[in-house]
Amino acid sequence: MTDLINHLQSLDFKNHACIVSNMNQQKEIIAYFNKKDIWIETFNTPFHERLTVKEQLKFYMKWYGATYNIDDVLQSLKLHEYSNVKVKKLEYDEYVLLKIALAYVQDNKFIIFKGLLHNLKVETVDIILNALPQFDTEHKVLHILSYLDHALLLSNEVYQVKKSQLKRLEVYEDRELLNERTEISKKSEQSAQVSTNNDELDSMKNECIPENISREIHSNLSRSNVFRITVKTEDKTLFINPEDINYIEGAEGKVNIHFNGESFKGDYTLNELEEKLKVYGFYRCHRSYIINLQKVTEMITWSKNSYSIKIDGLENTFIPLSRNKVKEIQGYFNSHSVQFTEN
């Protein structure tokens, strides 16, 4: 029995948790849970192609004796408009949503989703984020994932497999939200005004951002410092131009540097690179991420009141943006064309 299996045996979580691991580790995790009475959805098994979406779901609900209202289930996953569409005509995004609906109506209380958000449209991701809380009352859901940014979207309880051990990440997003709400509450008491979260967001968008933020980044980017980030691979040493970097991800006191579609480990800390790269237009958008502001194309406001950053050319990457950073990052793009999207 491996160390990873020992850790899996002691894993205990409340409703939703994520395990971030490589493909070989995922195979070991799935093989372990396959021996147990658990619903495992890997999104690679076919449906009955001749049935419509509604017929398919109705068949499985009857099979498992589910008493849910089928129209409510379809509506919650935005599948109602596909009710009479044959499954074989579905795009991949709708196929995934139907798989989630099936997992919801089946009778097993422990569900595993493998690679849930992979290769999905932003709109589909938002539908899933809104639908998953419905699982909380009757199910426990474990997500097996390859990407940390996907895990941070799905849960605050995130584990990474490191040297065959499960290590839980410290996720402070809830604490930031609590601090922000506390500050808002204090201001409300002083002014005797009560505002909702939507009001706060509207005022945030309409507020005049100080122009000195935009001036600062232009000033920094105009400097001609010559600097390269050094990373070592098995057979060579790379000297990376900061302008080529998309984003940097923290990993156990070191970093993963993402550029040109590849990722390389660097012997730096996030704090160290944050200071070195400010002059090149990099920004610490989350405790675990630094982004290249020149590569940012979009800020997404999810319906569950969380935020992500999209990077040019990385369609399936959702870099988390801390709530208390939203106003500041909007200031960087005060005079630039960057899309701010609400879902």
Side-chain angles (χ1 to χ4, degrees):
M1 186 177 294
T2 66
D3 289 340
L4 179 55
I5 298 302
N6 285 331
H7 280 259
L8 290 173
Q9 288 179 335
S10 60
L11 178 65
D12 185 31
F13 60 95
K14 186 177 179 181
N15 296 119
H16 276 78
C18 300
I19 297 178
V20 181
S21 54
N22 62 39
M23 296 305 294
N24 289 331
Q25 292 162 342
Q26 290 179 21
K27 290 179 181 178
E28 185 176 357
I29 293 169
I30 296 297
Y32 167 75
F33 283 114
N34 264 327
K35 300 174 184 177
K36 301 182 176 297
D37 185 22
I38 292 173
W39 182 270
I40 301 177
E41 182 53 69
T42 57
F43 302 102
N44 58 13
T45 55
F47 284 115
H48 300 289
E49 292 188 346
R50 294 183 180 180
L51 298 180
T52 66
V53 168
K54 191 167 186 176
E55 290 170 343
Q56 186 85 68
L57 189 58
K58 186 176 181 179
F59 170 81
Y60 282 110
M61 289 179 67
K62 185 176 180 179
W63 180 271
Y64 291 109
T67 58
Y68 302 104
N69 182 299
I70 189 170
D71 292 319
D72 289 344
V73 176
L74 291 170
Q75 177 67 36
S76 68
L77 288 159
K78 308 302 181 188
L79 287 170
H80 52 288
E81 61 185 280
Y82 301 95
S83 294
N84 298 318
V85 176
K86 290 191 180 296
V87 171
K88 65 180 179 181
K89 294 185 177 180
L90 293 180
E91 299 291 338
Y92 179 71
D93 285 59
E94 287 73 46
Y95 162 85
V96 170
L97 293 174
L98 185 55
K99 282 288 187 178
I100 295 172
L102 172 56
Y104 182 71
V105 302
Q106 56 81 40
D107 57 0
N108 202 304
K109 303 305 179 186
F110 195 151
I111 299 171
I112 290 179
F113 289 128
K114 179 178 179 289
L116 175 58
L117 302 184
H118 190 59
N119 286 335
L120 296 180
K121 300 173 185 174
V122 170
E123 295 80 6
T124 307
V125 172
D126 195 54
I127 292 170
I128 292 171
L129 294 180
N130 282 298
L132 284 178
Q134 297 179 36
F135 285 77
D136 291 350
T137 55
E138 298 186 26
H139 304 86
K140 292 179 69 171
V141 180
L142 179 63
H143 301 279
I144 310 299
L145 302 159
S146 299
Y147 305 105
L148 178 59
D149 57 300
H150 291 185
L152 292 171
L153 262 182
L154 290 165
S155 175
N156 281 332
E157 188 167 347
V158 178
Y159 300 84
Q160 282 187 301
V161 179
K162 298 294 182 182
K163 298 180 180 178
S164 295
Q165 295 182 347
L166 282 182
K167 296 195 174 183
R168 183 170 179 177
L169 299 183
E170 295 181 4
V171 180
Y172 291 114
E173 292 304 290
D174 280 349
R175 188 178 304 174
E176 292 171 357
L177 180 57
L178 178 62
N179 290 341
E180 183 174 349
R181 285 177 174 168
T182 300
E183 185 63 27
I184 290 169
S185 177
K186 289 179 181 178
K187 291 180 179 179
S188 295
E189 290 174 3
Q190 292 172 358
S191 62
Q193 295 179 350
V194 178
S195 49
T196 63
N197 285 339
N198 287 336
D199 293 333
E200 293 159 21
L201 185 57
D202 290 340
S203 64
M204 182 186 300
K205 289 181 177 179
N206 295 328
E207 184 176 352
C208 181
I209 307 298
E211 294 182 357
N212 62 335
I213 301 178
S214 296
R215 287 201 300 268
E216 178 186 352
I217 186 171
H218 282 300
S219 174
N220 286 340
L221 288 172
S222 66
R223 302 182 191 179
S224 58
N225 303 39
V226 176
F227 173 68
R228 295 292 184 270
I229 293 178
T230 305
V231 295
K232 294 182 179 180
T233 64
E234 293 182 358
D235 57 351
K236 57 187 175 183
T237 299
L238 301 179
F239 300 97
I240 305 172
N241 185 340
E243 294 180 0
D244 295 330
I245 297 172
N246 292 314
Y247 67 95
I248 301 166
E249 176 185 16
E252 287 195 313
K254 296 186 180 180
V255 294
N256 291 322
I257 300 169
H258 297 261
F259 76 106
N260 293 339
E262 297 185 85
S263 174
F264 296 91
K265 291 190 179 297
D267 194 18
Y268 303 89
T269 66
L270 273 179
N271 288 340
E272 182 180 357
L273 285 185
E274 180 183 10
E275 291 302 315
K276 288 180 179 293
L277 293 174
K278 276 183 180 179
V279 67
Y280 297 96
F282 283 73
Y283 179 72
R284 183 78 168 265
C285 64
H286 182 274
R287 68 179 301 272
S288 299
Y289 286 87
I290 298 172
I291 54 173
N292 184 347
L293 291 172
Q294 303 306 307
K295 305 275 189 175
V296 172
T297 59
E298 185 177 358
M299 185 184 86
I300 302 170
T301 304
W302 302 106
S303 297
K304 70 170 195 170
N305 218 18
S306 59
Y307 305 87
S308 293
I309 294 293
K310 295 289 291 178
I311 298 294
D312 187 28
L314 303 180
E315 292 303 317
N316 200 44
T317 299
F318 304 96
I319 297 175
L321 172 64
S322 298
R323 279 178 56 89
N324 61 359
K325 303 276 190 175
V326 173
K327 188 183 298 185
E328 186 175 37
I329 200 169
Q330 284 180 327
Y332 281 106
F333 298 106
N334 198 29
S335 58
H336 298 273
S337 178
V338 174
Q339 183 178 359
F340 292 81
T341 302
E342 287 189 47
N343 283 287

Short mmCIF file of all heavy atoms in Angstrom, two decimals, residues 243-283:
data_model
loop_
_atom_site.label_atom_id
_atom_site.label_comp_id
_atom_site.label_asym_id
_atom_site.label_seq_id
_atom_site.Cartn_x
_atom_site.Cartn_y
_atom_site.Cartn_z
N GLU A 243 8.78 39.42 -20.14
CA GLU A 243 7.69 39.75 -21.05
C GLU A 243 7.01 38.51 -21.63
O GLU A 243 5.86 38.57 -22.08
CB GLU A 243 8.21 40.64 -22.18
CG GLU A 243 8.68 42.02 -21.72
CD GLU A 243 9.19 42.86 -22.88
OE1 GLU A 243 9.18 42.34 -24.02
OE2 GLU A 243 9.59 44.00 -22.65
N ASP A 244 7.72 37.37 -21.64
CA ASP A 244 7.17 36.14 -22.20
C ASP A 244 6.32 35.36 -21.21
O ASP A 244 5.62 34.42 -21.59
CB ASP A 244 8.31 35.24 -22.70
CG ASP A 244 9.08 35.86 -23.85
OD1 ASP A 244 8.47 36.64 -24.61
OD2 ASP A 244 10.29 35.58 -23.98
N ILE A 245 6.39 35.72 -19.94
CA ILE A 245 5.69 34.96 -18.90
C ILE A 245 4.21 35.32 -18.89
O ILE A 245 3.83 36.48 -18.97
CB ILE A 245 6.32 35.25 -17.51
CG1 ILE A 245 7.77 34.78 -17.48
CG2 ILE A 245 5.52 34.58 -16.39
CD1 ILE A 245 8.52 35.19 -16.22
N ASN A 246 3.37 34.30 -18.80
CA ASN A 246 1.93 34.51 -18.67
C ASN A 246 1.53 34.73 -17.21
O ASN A 246 0.89 35.71 -16.88
CB ASN A 246 1.17 33.32 -19.24
CG ASN A 246 1.31 33.20 -20.74
OD1 ASN A 246 1.18 34.18 -21.46
ND2 ASN A 246 1.58 32.00 -21.21
N TYR A 247 1.93 33.79 -16.36
CA TYR A 247 1.64 33.92 -14.93
C TYR A 247 2.57 33.01 -14.14
O TYR A 247 3.24 32.13 -14.70
CB TYR A 247 0.17 33.61 -14.62
CG TYR A 247 -0.25 32.17 -14.83
CD1 TYR A 247 -0.26 31.26 -13.78
CD2 TYR A 247 -0.67 31.72 -16.09
CE1 TYR A 247 -0.66 29.94 -13.97
CE2 TYR A 247 -1.07 30.42 -16.28
CZ TYR A 247 -1.07 29.53 -15.22
OH TYR A 247 -1.46 28.22 -15.42
N ILE A 248 2.60 33.23 -12.84
CA ILE A 248 3.46 32.47 -11.94
C ILE A 248 2.60 31.93 -10.80
O ILE A 248 1.78 32.65 -10.23
CB ILE A 248 4.60 33.35 -11.39
CG1 ILE A 248 5.43 33.90 -12.54
CG2 ILE A 248 5.47 32.57 -10.42
CD1 ILE A 248 6.37 35.03 -12.14
N GLU A 249 2.81 30.67 -10.49
CA GLU A 249 1.99 29.98 -9.51
C GLU A 249 2.86 29.49 -8.36
O GLU A 249 3.93 28.90 -8.57
CB GLU A 249 1.31 28.79 -10.21
CG GLU A 249 0.48 27.91 -9.33
CD GLU A 249 -0.03 26.70 -10.11
OE1 GLU A 249 0.50 26.42 -11.22
OE2 GLU A 249 -0.96 26.06 -9.62
N GLY A 250 2.45 29.78 -7.13
CA GLY A 250 3.20 29.31 -5.97
C GLY A 250 3.06 27.82 -5.78
O GLY A 250 2.00 27.24 -6.01
N ALA A 251 4.14 27.18 -5.35
CA ALA A 251 4.14 25.72 -5.16
C ALA A 251 5.14 25.35 -4.07
O ALA A 251 6.33 25.27 -4.32
CB ALA A 251 4.48 25.00 -6.46
N GLU A 252 4.63 25.16 -2.85
CA GLU A 252 5.45 24.71 -1.72
C GLU A 252 6.70 25.55 -1.51
O GLU A 252 7.82 25.04 -1.43
CB GLU A 252 5.85 23.24 -1.91
CG GLU A 252 4.72 22.27 -1.70
CD GLU A 252 5.23 20.85 -1.55
OE1 GLU A 252 6.07 20.42 -2.37
OE2 GLU A 252 4.80 20.18 -0.60
N GLY A 253 6.52 26.84 -1.45
CA GLY A 253 7.65 27.72 -1.18
C GLY A 253 8.47 28.07 -2.41
O GLY A 253 9.36 28.91 -2.33
N LYS A 254 8.16 27.44 -3.54
CA LYS A 254 8.83 27.77 -4.80
C LYS A 254 7.75 28.19 -5.80
O LYS A 254 6.64 28.50 -5.42
CB LYS A 254 9.66 26.58 -5.28
CG LYS A 254 10.80 26.24 -4.31
CD LYS A 254 11.70 25.16 -4.85
CE LYS A 254 12.82 24.87 -3.86
NZ LYS A 254 13.74 23.81 -4.34
N VAL A 255 8.10 28.19 -7.09
CA VAL A 255 7.14 28.67 -8.07
C VAL A 255 7.12 27.79 -9.32
O VAL A 255 8.11 27.13 -9.66
CB VAL A 255 7.45 30.13 -8.50
CG1 VAL A 255 7.27 31.08 -7.35
CG2 VAL A 255 8.84 30.23 -9.10
N ASN A 256 5.96 27.79 -9.99
CA ASN A 256 5.85 27.27 -11.35
C ASN A 256 5.66 28.47 -12.27
O ASN A 256 4.74 29.26 -12.08
CB ASN A 256 4.65 26.33 -11.48
CG ASN A 256 4.86 25.03 -10.73
OD1 ASN A 256 5.96 24.49 -10.70
ND2 ASN A 256 3.80 24.53 -10.12
N ILE A 257 6.53 28.59 -13.25
CA ILE A 257 6.51 29.72 -14.18
C ILE A 257 5.90 29.25 -15.49
O ILE A 257 6.41 28.32 -16.13
CB ILE A 257 7.93 30.27 -14.39
CG1 ILE A 257 8.50 30.76 -13.05
CG2 ILE A 257 7.91 31.41 -15.41
CD1 ILE A 257 9.96 31.07 -13.09
N HIS A 258 4.81 29.89 -15.91
CA HIS A 258 4.08 29.47 -17.11
C HIS A 258 4.35 30.44 -18.25
O HIS A 258 4.08 31.63 -18.13
CB HIS A 258 2.58 29.42 -16.82
CG HIS A 258 2.20 28.42 -15.76
ND1 HIS A 258 1.70 27.17 -16.06
CD2 HIS A 258 2.26 28.49 -14.41
CE1 HIS A 258 1.45 26.51 -14.94
NE2 HIS A 258 1.78 27.29 -13.92
N PHE A 259 4.86 29.91 -19.35
CA PHE A 259 5.09 30.74 -20.54
C PHE A 259 5.19 29.84 -21.76
O PHE A 259 5.60 28.67 -21.67
CB PHE A 259 6.34 31.61 -20.40
CG PHE A 259 7.64 30.88 -20.57
CD1 PHE A 259 8.39 31.02 -21.73
CD2 PHE A 259 8.11 30.04 -19.58
CE1 PHE A 259 9.59 30.34 -21.89
CE2 PHE A 259 9.32 29.37 -19.72
CZ PHE A 259 10.05 29.52 -20.89
N ASN A 260 4.77 30.38 -22.90
CA ASN A 260 4.84 29.65 -24.18
C ASN A 260 4.21 28.26 -24.10
O ASN A 260 4.71 27.30 -24.70
CB ASN A 260 6.30 29.53 -24.66
CG ASN A 260 6.88 30.88 -25.05
OD1 ASN A 260 6.14 31.82 -25.32
ND2 ASN A 260 8.20 30.98 -25.04
N GLY A 261 3.14 28.14 -23.35
CA GLY A 261 2.43 26.87 -23.26
C GLY A 261 3.12 25.83 -22.40
O GLY A 261 2.70 24.67 -22.38
N GLU A 262 4.19 26.20 -21.69
CA GLU A 262 4.90 25.25 -20.84
C GLU A 262 4.99 25.79 -19.42
O GLU A 262 4.73 26.96 -19.15
CB GLU A 262 6.30 25.00 -21.40
CG GLU A 262 6.32 24.36 -22.77
CD GLU A 262 7.75 24.03 -23.21
OE1 GLU A 262 8.26 22.96 -22.85
OE2 GLU A 262 8.34 24.87 -23.91
N SER A 263 5.38 24.92 -18.50
CA SER A 263 5.54 25.29 -17.10
C SER A 263 6.88 24.78 -16.60
O SER A 263 7.25 23.62 -16.84
CB SER A 263 4.40 24.71 -16.27
OG SER A 263 4.62 24.95 -14.89
N PHE A 264 7.62 25.66 -15.91
CA PHE A 264 8.93 25.30 -15.38
C PHE A 264 9.01 25.69 -13.91
O PHE A 264 8.52 26.76 -13.52
CB PHE A 264 10.06 26.00 -16.16
CG PHE A 264 10.16 25.58 -17.59
CD1 PHE A 264 9.48 26.27 -18.58
CD2 PHE A 264 10.93 24.48 -17.95
CE1 PHE A 264 9.56 25.90 -19.90
CE2 PHE A 264 11.01 24.09 -19.27
CZ PHE A 264 10.33 24.80 -20.26
N LYS A 265 9.59 24.84 -13.12
CA LYS A 265 9.77 25.14 -11.70
C LYS A 265 10.95 26.08 -11.52
O LYS A 265 12.00 25.93 -12.16
CB LYS A 265 10.01 23.85 -10.91
CG LYS A 265 8.77 22.96 -10.83
CD LYS A 265 8.98 21.83 -9.85
CE LYS A 265 7.73 20.98 -9.77
NZ LYS A 265 6.57 21.73 -9.25
N GLY A 266 10.76 27.07 -10.66
CA GLY A 266 11.84 28.01 -10.37
C GLY A 266 12.16 28.04 -8.89
O GLY A 266 11.28 27.90 -8.04
N ASP A 267 13.43 28.23 -8.58
CA ASP A 267 13.87 28.24 -7.18
C ASP A 267 13.75 29.64 -6.60
O ASP A 267 14.71 30.24 -6.15
CB ASP A 267 15.32 27.74 -7.10
CG ASP A 267 15.72 27.41 -5.68
OD1 ASP A 267 14.82 27.22 -4.83
OD2 ASP A 267 16.93 27.34 -5.40
N TYR A 268 12.53 30.18 -6.64
CA TYR A 268 12.22 31.49 -6.09
C TYR A 268 11.00 31.34 -5.18
O TYR A 268 10.28 30.35 -5.25
CB TYR A 268 11.87 32.51 -7.19
CG TYR A 268 12.91 32.71 -8.26
CD1 TYR A 268 12.90 31.92 -9.41
CD2 TYR A 268 13.85 33.72 -8.16
CE1 TYR A 268 13.84 32.12 -10.41
CE2 TYR A 268 14.79 33.93 -9.16
CZ TYR A 268 14.78 33.12 -10.29
OH TYR A 268 15.70 33.33 -11.29
N THR A 269 10.76 32.36 -4.38
CA THR A 269 9.49 32.45 -3.67
C THR A 269 8.60 33.43 -4.40
O THR A 269 9.08 34.28 -5.17
CB THR A 269 9.67 32.92 -2.22
OG1 THR A 269 10.14 34.28 -2.22
CG2 THR A 269 10.66 32.03 -1.47
N LEU A 270 7.30 33.35 -4.19
CA LEU A 270 6.39 34.31 -4.80
C LEU A 270 6.69 35.73 -4.35
O LEU A 270 6.64 36.67 -5.14
CB LEU A 270 4.94 33.95 -4.47
CG LEU A 270 4.22 32.97 -5.40
CD1 LEU A 270 2.81 32.71 -4.89
CD2 LEU A 270 4.18 33.46 -6.83
N ASN A 271 6.99 35.89 -3.07
CA ASN A 271 7.29 37.23 -2.55
C ASN A 271 8.51 37.82 -3.25
O ASN A 271 8.55 39.01 -3.58
CB ASN A 271 7.54 37.17 -1.04
CG ASN A 271 6.26 36.93 -0.26
OD1 ASN A 271 5.17 37.17 -0.78
ND2 ASN A 271 6.38 36.47 0.96
N GLU A 272 9.50 36.98 -3.48
CA GLU A 272 10.73 37.44 -4.14
C GLU A 272 10.44 37.90 -5.57
O GLU A 272 10.87 38.98 -5.99
CB GLU A 272 11.75 36.30 -4.15
CG GLU A 272 13.09 36.66 -4.76
CD GLU A 272 14.05 35.49 -4.76
OE1 GLU A 272 13.68 34.41 -4.23
OE2 GLU A 272 15.16 35.65 -5.28
N LEU A 273 9.69 37.09 -6.33
CA LEU A 273 9.38 37.45 -7.70
C LEU A 273 8.41 38.62 -7.79
O LEU A 273 8.47 39.41 -8.73
CB LEU A 273 8.82 36.24 -8.45
CG LEU A 273 9.83 35.16 -8.84
CD1 LEU A 273 9.17 34.09 -9.67
CD2 LEU A 273 11.01 35.76 -9.60
N GLU A 274 7.53 38.73 -6.82
CA GLU A 274 6.61 39.86 -6.80
C GLU A 274 7.38 41.17 -6.79
O GLU A 274 7.06 42.12 -7.52
CB GLU A 274 5.70 39.77 -5.58
CG GLU A 274 4.69 40.91 -5.49
CD GLU A 274 3.83 40.85 -4.24
OE1 GLU A 274 4.13 40.03 -3.35
OE2 GLU A 274 2.87 41.64 -4.15
N GLU A 275 8.42 41.25 -5.97
CA GLU A 275 9.22 42.47 -5.88
C GLU A 275 10.05 42.69 -7.14
O GLU A 275 10.13 43.80 -7.65
CB GLU A 275 10.13 42.40 -4.65
CG GLU A 275 9.39 42.49 -3.33
CD GLU A 275 8.57 43.77 -3.22
OE1 GLU A 275 9.11 44.85 -3.57
OE2 GLU A 275 7.39 43.70 -2.83
N LYS A 276 10.63 41.60 -7.67
CA LYS A 276 11.49 41.73 -8.83
C LYS A 276 10.72 42.10 -10.10
O LYS A 276 11.23 42.79 -10.98
CB LYS A 276 12.24 40.41 -9.07
CG LYS A 276 13.33 40.10 -8.05
CD LYS A 276 14.00 38.79 -8.36
CE LYS A 276 15.12 38.46 -7.39
NZ LYS A 276 16.26 39.37 -7.49
N LEU A 277 9.47 41.64 -10.19
CA LEU A 277 8.73 41.77 -11.45
C LEU A 277 7.73 42.92 -11.48
O LEU A 277 7.09 43.15 -12.51
CB LEU A 277 8.00 40.45 -11.76
CG LEU A 277 8.92 39.26 -12.07
CD1 LEU A 277 8.11 37.98 -12.21
CD2 LEU A 277 9.73 39.52 -13.34
N LYS A 278 7.57 43.63 -10.39
CA LYS A 278 6.66 44.78 -10.40
C LYS A 278 7.01 45.75 -11.51
O LYS A 278 6.13 46.31 -12.18
CB LYS A 278 6.71 45.50 -9.05
CG LYS A 278 5.81 44.90 -7.99
CD LYS A 278 5.87 45.72 -6.72
CE LYS A 278 4.97 45.13 -5.65
NZ LYS A 278 5.05 45.91 -4.37
N VAL A 279 8.29 45.98 -11.70
CA VAL A 279 8.75 46.94 -12.69
C VAL A 279 8.37 46.52 -14.11
O VAL A 279 8.30 47.34 -15.02
CB VAL A 279 10.28 47.14 -12.57
CG1 VAL A 279 11.01 45.88 -12.97
CG2 VAL A 279 10.74 48.32 -13.39
N TYR A 280 8.08 45.22 -14.31
CA TYR A 280 7.72 44.72 -15.63
C TYR A 280 6.21 44.56 -15.81
O TYR A 280 5.76 43.95 -16.76
CB TYR A 280 8.41 43.38 -15.89
CG TYR A 280 9.91 43.50 -15.90
CD1 TYR A 280 10.66 43.22 -14.76
CD2 TYR A 280 10.59 43.90 -17.05
CE1 TYR A 280 12.04 43.35 -14.75
CE2 TYR A 280 11.97 44.04 -17.06
CZ TYR A 280 12.69 43.76 -15.91
OH TYR A 280 14.05 43.89 -15.92
N GLY A 281 5.43 45.09 -14.86
CA GLY A 281 3.99 45.05 -15.02
C GLY A 281 3.35 43.78 -14.52
O GLY A 281 2.31 43.35 -15.04
N PHE A 282 3.95 43.16 -13.51
CA PHE A 282 3.36 41.96 -12.91
C PHE A 282 2.62 42.34 -11.63
O PHE A 282 2.96 43.33 -10.97
CB PHE A 282 4.44 40.92 -12.59
CG PHE A 282 4.91 40.17 -13.80
CD1 PHE A 282 5.73 40.78 -14.75
CD2 PHE A 282 4.54 38.85 -14.01
CE1 PHE A 282 6.16 40.10 -15.87
CE2 PHE A 282 4.97 38.15 -15.13
CZ PHE A 282 5.79 38.78 -16.06
N TYR A 283 1.61 41.53 -11.31
CA TYR A 283 0.71 41.89 -10.20
C TYR A 283 0.34 40.64 -9.41
O TYR A 283 0.00 39.61 -9.98
CB TYR A 283 -0.54 42.56 -10.76
CG TYR A 283 -1.55 42.96 -9.71
CD1 TYR A 283 -1.30 44.04 -8.86
CD2 TYR A 283 -2.75 42.27 -9.57
CE1 TYR A 283 -2.23 44.41 -7.90
CE2 TYR A 283 -3.68 42.64 -8.62
CZ TYR A 283 -3.42 43.70 -7.78
OH TYR A 283 -4.33 44.07 -6.82
#
